[in-house]
Amino acid sequence: MNVLFVFSDQQRYTALGANGNPVVRTPNLDRMAAEGMVCDNMFSNHPLCSPFRAILLTGRYGWRNGVICNEYEPFRDIPTLPGVLSSAGYHTGHIGVWHLGVPPYSPENRYGLDYLAAVEGIGGNYFDQRYFENERGPERHEGWSPVVETDMAISFLETHTAERQDDPFALFVSWRPPHWPYPQYPDEYGLYDPADVDLPGNVPPQMADFARREIADYYGCCTGLDAQMGRLLDALDRLGLADDTIVCYASDHGDHLSSHGYGKPKDIWMHPSMRASKATPYDESAHIPFLVRWPGGTAPGSRTSAFMGAIDIVPSLLGACGVAAPDGLQGRDVSGVWRGEPPPVDTELTPGGSDSVFLMNMGNGWPNRKAWVGRWRGVRTERYTYARWYENERGPWLFDRESDPLETRNIAEAPEARGAVEEMESRLHRWMEGTGDPFEYGRRGPRGFLEVGQRWADPVRYRDWSPA
């Protein structure tokens, strides 16, 4: 089977029509969901840009892949998903945001990818961007970056069909929106009136008007991405590839969009601990959309409530493609769930229980932002969200989602919650012990980061910083 894995940046679970949102318009993704499976409990184990991408690349948590925060590159001596697929005869490509290293992208900087078209930088303009293609570039491409990247992806599929039609392909497409700045999308997708926005009840009243305006633009980005997804699906049909291609759609993490009072990293008028649109244990940050359409595999219009994490994507894609997984992967093969089978029972890969997912933030934030989100570990189950910090600077968190689905009341100190705290702490400890997480005992550098042998992705830019 071929693989087309598409993911946006900062699109939370609820920003999809197929997930019950009555306002956002995502007809192509909704059609894909109707033709495949919606995974309702998929989470970003480390809900931050580069750490998610490194997990997707390696199938290992940050202490084993080297990417503990946004500034690091993956270790070079471990298997990668594109490398394993390439060794199995796949034509591999990645287009869009890379966020795991700097150009030029020679073979040793591509981690097993035959073709890497990476947008230059990750700044606040999504029009007329410049791209590096392997060792070449940068070359400017006019237009909205998701349109440009979709053009590149379609070109990849056309070239593959013409030149390597007897080989399978694995193509990863990474779009930057709906990451801020939210108004960066073509006018034709400005379809939303802030008054119609479905504002969650965990947005503080004083932020409501601002949040509605932001979300209206955020939805404009989502609808624009949906149109590009439609182009990709049409290209698969036109090229005769649809019946032999597993298509996945996800995001690297979510976005608070003012929920719980959070702002953005550059909102310097806010306390640094509240400048987080992601990287928290909250559902808005960690809960992500995940659709899979697998002809002959997924039943059309199906859904699953099985708990999954980004850590499970690598072994599951390899399992679905019939490619042997390398040693050292830390997730499970849940491709059987995509085929409608029961989820795997508790195994050594789910030490905290297969009805839960392990969540984390390994770094303090970007350089010199020590009061940012902080270093925490957490567990999410159907009923509870639980987390605690390395130096307990925020105390433990426990939210009972059964009575408090918007996670507004921390009951960790409530006497009646003692049993739940003990249960969730036990689960958390099993997750940490079972995965070899050095959170509690690992050596830490001057910035408080774990020292796992990490290396800067851009040593020149960070030459005056300690990696830890």
Side-chain angles (χ1 to χ4, degrees), residues 10-190:
Q10 218 156 291
Q11 185 173 2
R12 60 190 185 184
Y13 169 83
T14 56
L16 198 64
N19 289 343
N21 190 315
V23 176
V24 68
R25 303 177 195 178
T26 53
N28 293 292
L29 288 166
D30 296 349
R31 172 170 62 90
M32 178 181 158
E35 295 169 349
M37 173 178 279
V38 178
C39 298
D40 283 312
N41 281 319
M42 174 63 85
F43 293 85
S44 179
N45 300 96
H46 190 160
L48 190 61
C49 302
S50 295
F52 170 92
R53 295 163 193 276
I55 290 173
L56 176 62
L57 183 73
T58 68
R60 303 171 189 232
Y61 294 109
W63 58 89
R64 290 193 180 170
N65 68 42
V67 182
I68 63 169
C69 204
N70 264 350
E71 297 79 25
Y72 303 97
E73 67 174 19
F75 293 145
R76 305 298 182 100
D77 59 350
I78 57 177
T80 64
L81 175 58
V84 171
L85 290 171
S86 181
S87 296
Y90 277 72
H91 180 201
T92 58
H94 180 106
I95 295 168
V97 179
W98 177 236
H99 217 325
L100 291 174
V102 295
Y105 298 108
S106 55
E108 61 270 21
N109 290 335
R110 297 203 300 267
Y111 294 90
L113 289 162
D114 297 317
Y115 175 71
L116 173 59
V119 65
E120 182 182 37
I122 50 171
N125 176 33
Y126 302 151
F127 289 90
D128 304 335
Q129 294 273 36
R130 301 200 305 171
Y131 292 82
F132 290 87
E133 295 182 74
N134 290 356
E135 296 92 339
R136 303 185 305 275
E139 181 179 344
R140 184 174 178 269
H141 292 254
E142 294 185 359
W144 192 42
S145 57
V147 173
V148 171
E149 291 150 14
T150 302
D151 289 343
M152 290 178 170
I154 293 172
S155 178
F156 177 96
L157 297 174
E158 291 172 340
T159 299
H160 174 86
T161 302
E163 299 179 0
R164 295 186 58 173
Q165 60 180 322
D166 293 332
D167 295 330
F169 69 82
L171 176 61
F172 301 83
V173 181
S174 174
W175 294 317
R176 183 64 168 168
H179 191 289
W180 70 73
Y182 308 117
Q184 289 281 330
Y185 57 87
D187 291 343
E188 64 191 282
Y189 303 120

Side-chain angles (χ1 to χ4, degrees), residues 131-282:
Y131 292 82
F132 290 87
E133 295 182 74
N134 290 356
E135 296 92 339
R136 303 185 305 275
E139 181 179 344
R140 184 174 178 269
H141 292 254
E142 294 185 359
W144 192 42
S145 57
V147 173
V148 171
E149 291 150 14
T150 302
D151 289 343
M152 290 178 170
I154 293 172
S155 178
F156 177 96
L157 297 174
E158 291 172 340
T159 299
H160 174 86
T161 302
E163 299 179 0
R164 295 186 58 173
Q165 60 180 322
D166 293 332
D167 295 330
F169 69 82
L171 176 61
F172 301 83
V173 181
S174 174
W175 294 317
R176 183 64 168 168
H179 191 289
W180 70 73
Y182 308 117
Q184 289 281 330
Y185 57 87
D187 291 343
E188 64 191 282
Y189 303 120
L191 306 172
Y192 300 97
D193 184 340
D196 296 332
V197 163
D198 51 334
L199 194 67
N202 54 15
V203 174
Q206 60 268 38
M207 299 175 77
D209 288 343
F210 171 77
R212 285 192 176 92
R213 291 194 298 273
E214 274 201 335
I215 294 173
D217 283 327
Y218 181 83
Y219 285 173
C221 288
C222 292
T223 296
L225 296 184
D226 180 82
Q228 304 317 307
M229 193 69 203
R231 294 179 61 212
L232 289 174
L233 296 175
D234 289 347
L236 292 178
D237 288 336
R238 174 172 57 83
L239 296 170
L241 298 170
D243 290 342
D244 298 313
T245 302
I246 298 170
V247 184
C248 299
Y249 184 83
S251 192
D252 57 351
H253 51 76
D255 191 326
H256 280 114
L257 291 162
S258 297
S259 285
H260 310 289
Y262 282 98
K264 306 288 188 298
K266 293 183 179 180
D267 291 342
I268 59 174
W269 56 89
M270 303 182 78
H271 189 273
S273 65
M274 295 305 293
R275 299 181 204 161
S277 196
K278 51 197 169 188
T280 75
Y282 285 120

